[in-house]
Amino acid sequence: MTATDTVASPSLSTHELTIRFGGHVAVNQVSADFYPGTLTVIVGPNGAGKTTYFNLISGQLAATTGTVRLFGNDITRLGAAKRTRLGIGRAFQLTNLFPNLTVLENVRLAVQSRAGIGMNMFSLWSAHTGLLDRAEHFLERVALMDRRASTVAALSHGDKRKLEVAILLALEPKILMFDEPTAGMSVDEVPVVLELIHQVKVERNLTILLVEHKMDVVRSLADRIIVLHNGQLVADGEPAAVIASPIVQEAYLGTGATADV
Amino acid sequence: MLKHLLSDDLPRSRFLTVLLVLILFGLAFAPFITSGARPLNTAATICVYIVLVASYDLLLGYTGIVSFAHTMFFGIGAYGIGLGLASAGPFWWIAFSGLLCALLLTILLALIVGLFALRVRAIFYAMITLAVASSFAVLASQLSDLTGGEDGKTFSVPALLSPSFHLFENEVFGRIIDGKVITYYLVFGVALMLFLFLLRVVNSPFGRVLQAIRENEFRAEALGYQTIYYRIAANCLAALVAALAGALMALWLRYVGPKTMLGFEVMTDILLIVVIGGMGTMYGAVVGAALFMLAQNYLKTLMLQASSALVGVPFLAEALHPDRWMLWLGVMFVVSVYCFPAGIVGKLRST
């Protein structure tokens, strides 16, 4: 099943989404609908605007024009924190964690945010044992339980990426956004993360957006591919069709390259 | 029980535990293990500064906010209770309403400073707080009809707290329980409660968010915490506790003045103590304030003894002349910051 067959209403959609930095249009009139249970991979050369498009959806950047809708509601003017609470979860490209806090605390903070008790000043954090159990559950899912007490700064790059995934899952989002989740990971760690992403999609019928460069990852996971080039959406559809299309051959794989995928 | 009282945040170092217990007992029994006014004055100042510095640690050490307006809130608390008692007489209800006005003004100013300034970068925020605090200090010394100007104002405290009040006819353990001793225990008790309160706050879910903001504000926001509200809340809370510390100081000294309550020296003292004690530890405020105040009050005496013992020794006697105590205090600070970059508590916990 691909997105285009889905009759359900989109969980997330962007309409003519645009952002300008001075004269440079980083994301230009991008319109796309995303559906539950579908994993969409966004591809494109460096500087195509993939991460910027992500930032516009998750609220780190404010759009110049255009709209972002979540389950039909306009969220274009909301900040990142509010969007997270409404269900847009984001894992970052550059590992972006709390370096001097423990691995467990990093996940617990996400669980705590979900529980909405951040302003509670009078109870002990450790008294909320339910939150700790939840946090440990998500650490188990990414196989990081044995590192729970070490600080993030002491983790390997691969483990940091896994922790990113655990934090994202702990937010229990309806929309999951991964920005190159396997970048810099060792070869044997990649399948663990990919399997996890696949499982989450199947289990929860979630909407997943993924920025990825590695063509084998794209092939194994994607239900749909969107191609960005110079900030514009240049192709959108089923993986096989998109990869084979001339515009992708030229824009993404380079002129004259053949699709050996 | 004790673990709960300390919010499960134990000293985590044997030597630190011993040090803290010593300080606690020293402060708790100060009126009976010392005699005269000066040691008790030092002890009361230590109590007040523990609270003042701990509240600053909530901002700087836990949230990562650099503010220079902390003395302003200290001063507001002091002036609130002081000017009330000075103008309307030594009654408890005056003291409390003065304090209440001060707390309201504190929360209002903390909110305004926070709303305007916490949106900007850290360095600009520090500059804005510096400007606001300096203007406030100037204002306090200019409005001399109300505040007594540069001289400040002395006032009488409610009868129970005044030195002429005697609780018992006779001495208890070698000290007459007069109003001054009662005031001391008021200061000590409130300071202890405020410290335990702050210890709870930093170990609450809220405190955990503050640490997340210090570590990576961008990510805290991405986790769904609206960091601006947390920073404003931390700012207001720290300001309120600082104001209460100011009120205690005023009650103890029975005096308010711009130099003692609003001066930039108070701010530099706070900064030095929090750095020497150890940022982001709370206990650093206790150890730092105790050492700092002891050094400030007794270094001169110690040096006088040392230099009179060394009379005739050409260089040392001169170098240790009591008039040079500020120089040695400075040297001590430089050495301690150099040797313990994570503060005394940080050093003790890491070994």
Side-chain angles (χ1 to χ4, degrees):
Chain A
M1 187 182 75
T2 65
T4 40
D5 308 326
T6 316
V7 283
S9 54
S11 47
L12 175 76
S13 59
T14 66
H15 180 68
E16 296 182 353
L17 200 59
T18 304
I19 186 166
R20 274 173 228 278
F21 298 109
H24 175 63
V25 188
V27 170
N28 195 355
Q29 307 257 323
V30 176
S31 299
D33 293 334
F34 303 95
Y35 296 88
T38 308
L39 190 150
T40 308
V41 178
I42 298 162
V43 299
N46 286 327
K50 304 183 297 288
T51 299
T52 311
Y53 184 52
F54 259 34
N55 283 335
L56 288 172
I57 293 174
S58 58
Q60 270 76 28
L61 290 172
T64 313
T65 57
T67 53
V68 183
R69 284 178 181 279
L70 180 68
F71 300 109
N73 303 312
D74 192 341
I75 58 162
T76 318
R77 296 289 149 223
L78 298 185
K82 280 205 173 132
R83 293 191 201 195
T84 304
R85 290 214 299 275
L86 288 172
I88 297 182
R90 164 100 186 258
F92 290 85
Q93 183 181 18
L94 303 169
T95 48
N96 211 322
L97 303 150
F98 305 111
N100 298 313
L101 304 183
T102 64
V103 169
L104 182 62
E105 178 63 9
N106 269 263
V107 183
R108 203 199 59 84
L109 278 165
V111 177
Q112 179 182 293
S113 166
R114 185 92 187 91
I117 57 158
M119 276 291 175
N120 186 326
M121 297 177 187
F122 307 108
S123 65
L124 266 182
W125 68 273
S126 51
H128 300 268
T129 49
L131 302 191
L132 273 170
D133 294 344
R134 292 290 294 158
E136 288 181 347
H137 162 77
F138 290 110
L139 275 186
E140 253 159 31
R141 288 207 67 167
V142 297
L144 274 181
M145 265 306 269
D146 52 331
R147 305 305 308 272
R148 62 203 287 274
S150 56
T151 61
V152 171
L155 288 187
S156 71
H157 182 80
D159 282 349
K160 281 183 189 164
R161 311 277 346 186
K162 285 197 227 162
L163 182 56
E164 275 280 351
V165 176
I167 290 172
L168 178 58
L169 295 181
L171 290 170
E172 298 180 67
K174 300 176 185 95
I175 317 288
L176 277 80
M177 304 170 72
F178 293 96
D179 201 344
E180 297 196 42
T182 62
M185 269 191 168
S186 67
V187 184
D188 52 323
E189 283 172 320
V190 172
V192 180
V193 171
L194 295 188
E195 177 56 30
L196 193 64
I197 293 173
H198 180 71
Q199 266 180 26
V200 169
K201 187 191 85 174
V202 176
E203 277 169 26
R204 310 247 181 95
N205 199 34
L206 299 173
T207 310
I208 301 181
L209 275 67
L210 193 81
V211 166
E212 189 51 78
H213 274 301
K214 294 177 189 148
M215 272 330 244
D216 52 338
V217 175
V218 175
R219 256 185 314 166
S220 70
L221 284 178
D223 298 316
R224 170 192 179 194
I225 295 180
I226 282 178
V227 185
L228 289 183
H229 185 55
N230 289 334
Q232 284 176 308
L233 193 153
V234 293
D236 179 356
E238 280 181 48
V242 171
I243 290 169
S245 68
I247 193 154
V248 173
Q249 293 298 311
E250 192 186 330
Y252 185 57
L253 300 168
T255 318
T258 48
D260 55 344
V261 285
Chain B
M1 175 61 194
L2 182 68
K3 210 173 151 189
H4 194 70
L5 211 57
L6 295 180
S7 300
D8 211 2
D9 187 356
L10 302 174
R12 299 205 304 279
S13 148
R14 192 170 295 167
F15 190 68
L16 180 60
T17 312
V18 172
L19 206 57
L20 288 170
V21 168
L22 274 178
I23 293 170
L24 177 69
F25 277 88
L27 292 175
F29 300 110
F32 304 108
I33 54 182
T34 62
S35 58
R38 192 161 162 221
L40 203 57
N41 193 35
T42 308
T45 314
I46 291 174
C47 290
V48 170
Y49 267 74
I50 286 173
V51 173
L52 183 61
V53 173
S55 67
Y56 193 69
D57 197 23
L58 178 73
L59 280 187
L60 183 67
Y62 283 86
T63 323
I65 298 174
V66 181
S67 162
F68 292 114
H70 218 56
T71 38
M72 176 173 79
F73 299 118
F74 183 66
I76 289 173
Y79 272 91
I81 207 163
L83 296 184
L85 290 173
S87 55
F91 308 107
W92 281 106
W93 69 272
I94 296 289
F96 280 112
S97 27
L99 181 62
L100 193 68
C101 292
L103 292 181
L104 288 176
L105 180 62
T106 296
I107 214 157
L108 190 72
L109 270 175
L111 267 177
I112 292 171
V113 173
L115 278 174
F116 275 105
L118 283 172
R119 289 178 178 276
V120 298
R121 282 169 190 280
I123 182 75
F124 295 113
Y125 179 68
M127 292 299 132
I128 289 169
T129 56
L130 187 59
V132 172
S134 313
S135 341
F136 197 85
V138 170
L139 192 71
S141 51
Q142 291 297 310
L143 292 173
S144 46
D145 288 343
L146 179 69
T147 63
E150 288 292 339
D151 297 334
K153 270 199 174 166
T154 53
F155 52 88
S156 306
V157 288
L160 179 67
L161 303 180
S162 76
S164 54
F165 177 85
H166 288 203
L167 191 62
F168 306 113
E169 287 287 318
N170 303 316
E171 291 185 349
V172 179
F173 298 116
R175 199 185 266 268
I176 294 167
I177 308 299
D178 58 5
K180 207 66 187 164
V181 174
I182 296 171
T183 313
Y184 176 75
Y185 278 108
L186 178 71
V187 170
F188 173 77
V190 174
L192 185 64
M193 281 192 301
L194 286 173
F195 179 77
L196 291 176
F197 166 71
L198 286 171
L199 199 59
R200 168 53 59 96
V201 168
V202 299
N203 287 293
S204 69
F206 174 74
R208 288 281 164 145
V209 178
L210 297 187
Q211 290 174 57
I213 291 172
R214 176 195 67 197
E215 288 286 307
N216 189 342
E217 180 164 6
F218 171 85
R219 190 54 192 261
E221 186 85 25
L223 284 189
Y225 297 110
Q226 283 178 287
T227 53
I228 176 93
Y229 294 128
Y230 286 88
R231 290 166 56 119
I232 288 173
N235 213 34
C236 289
L237 201 62
L240 281 175
V241 176
L244 287 170
L248 290 179
M249 192 83 258
L251 265 188
W252 174 256
L253 295 174
R254 286 173 285 141
Y255 163 79
V256 282
K259 199 166 173 295
T260 333
M261 310 299 186
L262 290 165
F264 197 69
E265 276 168 40
V266 181
M267 195 64 236
T268 50
D269 285 355
I270 297 173
L271 279 166
L272 276 171
I273 295 171
V274 81
V275 170
I276 290 170
M279 282 194 281
T281 60
M282 279 295 147
Y283 292 116
V286 180
V287 177
L291 288 182
F292 187 91
M293 288 304 155
L294 283 176
Q296 208 170 47
N297 283 284
Y298 290 102
L299 190 62
K300 216 172 165 179
T301 321
L302 268 178
M303 283 173 63
L304 181 65
Q305 285 167 1
S307 94
S308 43
L310 291 170
V311 171
V313 183
F315 178 72
L316 273 179
E318 275 299 297
L320 290 175
H321 192 277
D323 285 354
R324 299 198 173 77
W325 75 278
M326 289 281 265
L327 171 76
W328 288 105
L329 196 64
V331 170
M332 277 169 57
F333 295 152
V334 173
V335 169
S336 90
V337 170
Y338 185 79
C339 295
F340 315 120
I344 294 170
V345 171
K347 181 77 183 172
L348 288 176
R349 278 180 172 174
S350 69
T351 50

